[in-house]
């Protein structure tokens, strides 16, 4: 049985989608992520910085910040909110950080449609659920949610994808 998104999930997705647009506006890839505790406390928020460090995806940046300040026990009840489905690297980082829940907007399959063959985003077509299923503890996953809205920050950004899109 798949869990349903909550009203709070949509509140945090709104925040993370705005942060993804800010990432693009500041010259980075249009991705963002936030780690939020069960009580609604933001533990970490980050944008993408992979133009200078290919491992600096928004999810990894947020997870590193949260992991430096909070214990695995504290992170177990937290949620990673992300503008796009975590890639295989970010799914692994989520698992190893101990974050117990992921909510994402744009699916990896939809992202591939947007990026096409752009060398800036050589997509790994591995769903995050596949990565988490290989682990020894459960990670709850909710998504994709609000894909049309999530696509907006990507419109016209990727040279290998569609040049113009209206969403």
């Amino acid at each position: 049985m798949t869990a349903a998104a909550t009203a709070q999930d949509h509140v945090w997705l709104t925040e993370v989608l705005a942060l993804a647009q800010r990432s693009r506006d500041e010259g980075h890839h249009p991705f963002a992520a936030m780690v939020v505790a069960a009580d609604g406390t933001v533990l970490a928020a980050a944008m993408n910085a992979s133009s200078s460090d290919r491992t600096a995806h928004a999810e990894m940046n947020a997870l590193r910040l949260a992991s430096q300040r909070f214990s695995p026990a504290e992170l177990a009840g937290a949620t990673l909110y992300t503008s796009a489905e975590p890639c295989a690297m970010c799914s692994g980082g989520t698992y190893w950080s101990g974050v117990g829940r992921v909510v994402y907007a744009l699916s990896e399959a939809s992202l591939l449609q947007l990026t096409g063959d752009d060398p800036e985003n050589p997509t790994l077509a591995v769903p995050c659920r596949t990565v988490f299923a290989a682990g020894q503890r459960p990670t709850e996953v909710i998504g994709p949610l609000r894909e049309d809205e999530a696509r907006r920050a990507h419109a016209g950004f990727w040279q290998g994808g569609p040049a113009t899109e209206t969403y």
Side-chain angles (χ1 to χ4, degrees):
M1 180 177 177
T2 303
T6 67
Q8 278 304 112
D9 290 336
H10 287 283
V11 168
W12 292 116
L13 275 181
T14 298
E15 294 290 324
V16 85
L17 291 173
L19 191 57
Q21 182 62 54
R22 181 174 148 208
S23 182
R24 179 186 177 152
D25 293 346
E26 291 183 10
H28 304 290
H29 292 177
F31 300 102
M34 300 173 75
V35 179
V36 180
D39 69 359
T41 302
V42 176
L43 305 180
M47 296 182 292
N48 191 285
S50 65
S51 57
S52 59
D53 173 356
R54 293 297 193 196
T55 65
H57 291 190
E59 298 90 342
M60 294 299 291
N61 293 338
L63 292 165
R64 282 186 193 108
L65 289 169
S67 294
Q68 290 168 358
R69 297 188 292 201
F70 301 95
S71 72
E74 291 170 301
L75 294 176
T79 299
L80 174 69
Y81 291 95
T82 181
S83 59
E85 182 174 0
C87 71
M89 174 182 69
C90 295
S91 297
T94 302
Y95 178 81
W96 287 110
S97 74
V99 169
R101 188 169 180 265
V102 174
V103 177
Y104 67 89
L106 187 66
S107 72
E108 185 72 17
S110 293
L111 178 62
L112 179 57
Q113 290 174 347
L114 294 171
T115 63
D117 62 356
D118 191 309
E120 288 292 311
N121 194 51
T123 301
L124 281 170
V126 178
C128 69
R129 286 174 173 88
T130 300
V131 175
F132 295 133
Q136 293 181 331
R137 65 178 145 63
T139 302
E140 181 182 1
V141 179
I142 298 174
L145 300 171
R146 297 165 57 180
E147 285 198 283
D148 287 344
E149 186 178 349
R151 284 183 180 94
R152 290 183 195 137
H154 296 268
F157 184 85
W158 304 103
Q159 64 178 322
T164 58
E165 292 284 344
T166 54
Y167 299 106

